[in-house]
């Protein structure tokens, strides 16, 4: 062991002094490394290591520091143990993750399946989970009958700042009695400090965060070389060894169809037109995400850079666009094809026209295959919303209104108030009657309230 005498001015005597020092300099490896003086080992008394005296033993201090949650502890420096303060952790997270949360890293094919098996245990509903190291290994499917290399995969996730050591605890037997040595408890840094803090440096580029850390290192340890600092800082999650890039083959639209999961893997010409129509119902930003991610085959990181978002934000926005295309009223244009689905709509309009003629509503019958903005009281913007929702003609909209009193829920951008005004226009023009459920809901507040309560109760009962 390398260290100092108890009387040395640089000696750290207690765990509180260690915490104060780590917070002062920002980050510190546990053991001696190639940068002289850059470790807890070199600032403590060698004789006290592994003495079991928690007041003086730095090996015991690491457990106390991890448990307090003021400083992150894990294998953060060249795959070796060390500490990062709460203040500096966001910069390490941004640089090491390269702006990726783990799910986006996986989506961009920059994480291994073995890493995903571990991180799945901390996903969504398990975000606050804590696991003993042996428990984490078993639940992630490593061991004699499963995957190999748990320690290496776990270390990589710590280096990328997706995991850290939350505490050290003894295991418990079936009776709940602790036994054996204390072992590491793993969690995510987000569990300790919250996602907002951990990702707070995502607003700057990963490169800027890396330069910030390197500059701080040079100020504290001016004797360190650029190569030594590079090894301390480590690689970012998105970095790969330099190599000649092969031209990426993009299998569009098969890649988008796979993501949509709507039961088809190839498209005929009419379905392709239907797909283009479905994409046109997205906002311009959503169309851009679909084009760059699926047509151009860009990674979420590349898409994000071109549109001003992080890889994680890019991933979420793109998935939101895909979810819109997956809606039944939108995906039907892809499955049936544009003219195919339009034909079905035209058939329903023909039936409605025949019914109107039979009722003597000749004027109304002539309007059924026109767009709704020809009617006084319906704006172009409202007509566009209806068109994007898959209801291009007056006849189609009448069918929608008569099918459900709360029909406007199926049209993005049109709520109860706007929907009520549109219903009034259709009633005034003679397309629907007072007996129509939508008309009653739009004009009778008490009726609307009763139906709304009834609907909520039905949804709760499902």
């Amino acid at each position: 062991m390398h260290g100092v005498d108890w009387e040395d001015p640089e000696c750290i005597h207690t765990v509180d002094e260690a915490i104060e020092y780590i917070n002062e300099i920002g980050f510190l490896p546990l053991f001696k490394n190639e940068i002289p003086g850059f470790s807890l080992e070199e600032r403590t008394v060698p004789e006290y290591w592994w003495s079991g005296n928690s007041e003086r033993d730095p090996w015991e201090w690491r457990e106390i520091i991890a448990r307090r949650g003021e400083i992150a502890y894990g294998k953060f420096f060249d795959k070796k143990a060390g500490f990062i303060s709460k203040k500096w952790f966001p910069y390490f997270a941004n640089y090491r993750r390269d702006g990726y949360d783990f799910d986006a890293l996986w989506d961009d094919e920059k994480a291994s399946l073995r890493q995903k098996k571990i991180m799945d245990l901390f996903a969504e509903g398990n975000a606050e989970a804590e696991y003993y190291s042996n428990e984490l290994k078993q639940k992630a499917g490593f061991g004699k009958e499963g995957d190999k290399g748990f320690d290496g995969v776990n270390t990589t996730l710590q280096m990328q700042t997706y995991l850290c050591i939350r505490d050290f605890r003894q295991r418990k037997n079936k009776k709940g009695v602790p036994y054996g040595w204390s072992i590491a408890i793993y969690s995510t840094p987000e569990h300790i400090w919250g996602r907002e803090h951990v990702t707070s440096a995502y607003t700057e580029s990963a490169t800027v965060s890396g330069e910030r850390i390197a500059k701080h290192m040079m100020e504290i340890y001016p004797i360190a070389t650029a190569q030594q600092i590079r090894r301390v800082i480590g690689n970012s999650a998105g970095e790969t060894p330099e190599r000649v890039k092969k031209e990426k083959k993009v299998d569009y639209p098969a890649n988008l169809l796979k993501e949509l999961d709507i039961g088809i893997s190839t498209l005929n010409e009419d379905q392709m037109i239907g797909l283009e129509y479905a994409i046109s119902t997205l906002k311009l930003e959503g169309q851009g995400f679909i084009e760059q991610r699926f047509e151009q085959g860009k990674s979420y990181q590349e898409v994000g850079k071109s549109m001003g978002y992080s890889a994680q934000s890019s991933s979420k926005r793109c998935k939101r666009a895909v979810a819109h295309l997956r809606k039944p009223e939108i995906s039907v244009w892809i499955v049936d094809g544009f003219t195919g689905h339009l034909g079905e709509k035209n058939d329903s309009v023909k039936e409605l026209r025949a019914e109107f003629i039979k009722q003597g509503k000749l004027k109304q019958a002539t309007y059924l295959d026109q767009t709704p903005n020809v009617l006084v009281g319906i704006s172009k913007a409202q007509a566009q919303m209806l068109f994007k929702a898959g209801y291009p003609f007056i006849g189609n909209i009448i069918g929608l209104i008569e099918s459900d009193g709360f029909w406007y829920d199926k049209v993005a951008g049109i709520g109860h108030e706007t929907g009520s005004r549109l219903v009034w226009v259709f009633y005034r023009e003679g397309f629907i009657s007072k007996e129509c459920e939508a008309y009653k809901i739009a004009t009778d507040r008490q009726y609307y309230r009763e139906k709304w309560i009834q609907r909520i109760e039905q949804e709760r009962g499902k």
Side-chain angles (χ1 to χ4, degrees), residues 80-340:
K80 296 179 179 63
F83 310 92
I84 303 176
S85 71
K86 182 177 181 180
K87 175 184 175 181
W88 276 92
F89 196 89
Y91 301 114
F92 275 89
N94 187 40
Y95 178 71
R96 295 276 182 83
R97 300 178 181 184
D98 202 15
Y100 283 95
D101 277 359
F102 186 81
D103 56 349
L105 190 74
W106 169 256
D107 288 337
D108 265 1
E109 300 179 359
K110 292 185 176 182
S112 69
L113 180 58
R114 291 187 299 171
Q115 287 177 313
K116 187 174 188 299
K117 287 180 178 179
I118 291 176
M119 291 307 297
D120 279 349
L121 296 173
F122 299 94
E124 297 178 357
N126 295 320
E128 305 301 314
E130 298 179 356
Y131 295 99
Y132 286 97
S133 57
N134 63 308
E135 183 184 18
L136 184 63
K137 181 177 181 179
Q138 181 184 10
K139 287 182 177 293
F142 290 81
K144 291 182 179 180
E145 305 300 326
D147 290 318
K148 309 299 180 185
F150 171 77
D151 291 335
V153 176
N154 189 19
T155 295
T156 298
L157 290 170
Q158 291 177 71
M159 283 293 295
Q160 293 174 339
T161 71
Y162 292 119
L163 288 183
C164 64
I165 297 175
R166 176 69 180 91
D167 196 358
F168 290 84
R169 300 173 197 153
Q170 289 178 289
R171 284 176 284 184
K172 295 181 179 180
N173 60 24
K174 293 180 179 179
K175 295 182 179 180
V177 179
Y179 71 95
W181 297 99
S182 295
I183 62 174
I185 301 290
Y186 289 95
S187 76
T188 64
E190 285 85 347
H191 169 51
I192 301 174
W193 290 324
R195 186 179 185 282
E196 184 176 352
H197 176 76
V198 172
T199 62
S200 59
Y202 277 22
T203 53
E204 67 183 30
S205 73
T207 302
V208 170
S209 289
E211 291 172 350
R212 187 190 297 273
I213 297 167
K215 182 181 178 182
H216 186 64
M217 277 287 301
M218 287 186 281
E219 290 173 353
I220 298 174
Y221 299 97
I223 61 172
T225 66
Q227 189 176 13
Q228 289 171 335
I229 291 174
R230 173 65 179 173
R231 276 197 281 271
V232 168
I233 294 175
N235 292 332
S236 62
E239 283 186 348
T240 53
E242 289 187 12
R243 57 188 176 189
V244 178
K245 257 192 171 181
K246 293 182 180 178
E247 188 176 344
K248 191 172 183 180
K249 184 180 178 182
V250 181
D251 190 15
Y252 180 81
N255 55 356
L256 178 55
L257 293 173
K258 182 179 179 181
E259 192 76 14
L260 290 173
D261 191 24
I262 54 176
I264 52 176
S265 56
T266 57
L267 300 179
N268 58 36
E269 186 176 350
D270 189 42
Q271 288 173 320
M272 192 68 197
I273 295 172
L275 174 62
E276 291 173 0
Y277 168 75
I279 293 173
S280 75
T281 66
L282 287 162
K283 292 181 179 178
L284 288 177
E285 183 182 78
Q287 294 178 36
F289 278 114
I290 295 296
E291 178 184 355
Q292 292 195 48
R293 176 63 177 172
F294 297 100
E295 290 190 52
Q296 298 176 16
K298 289 183 178 180
S299 67
Y300 285 125
Q301 184 183 33
E302 292 169 331
V303 176
K305 282 182 179 178
S306 70
M307 302 188 76
Y309 296 106
S310 67
Q312 177 68 9
S313 182
S314 173
S315 169
K316 289 181 178 178
R317 290 169 187 271
C318 190
K319 288 176 180 176
R320 199 179 300 153
V322 170
H324 170 83
L325 298 179
R326 199 181 287 127
K327 292 179 180 178
E329 64 268 25
I330 302 299
S331 63
V332 69
W333 291 94
I334 307 171
V335 177
D336 293 350
F338 184 77
T339 57

Side-chain angles (χ1 to χ4, degrees), residues 405-406 437 440-441 444-458:
F406 295 99
E437 184 81 358
K440 295 177 182 178
I441 287 175
D444 189 330
R445 288 187 179 181
Q446 181 62 28
Y447 189 82
Y448 163 73
R449 184 174 179 278
E450 291 174 358
K451 287 295 179 180
W452 179 255
I453 293 172
Q454 187 181 75
R455 185 185 185 193
I456 294 298
E457 289 176 346
Q458 287 175 347

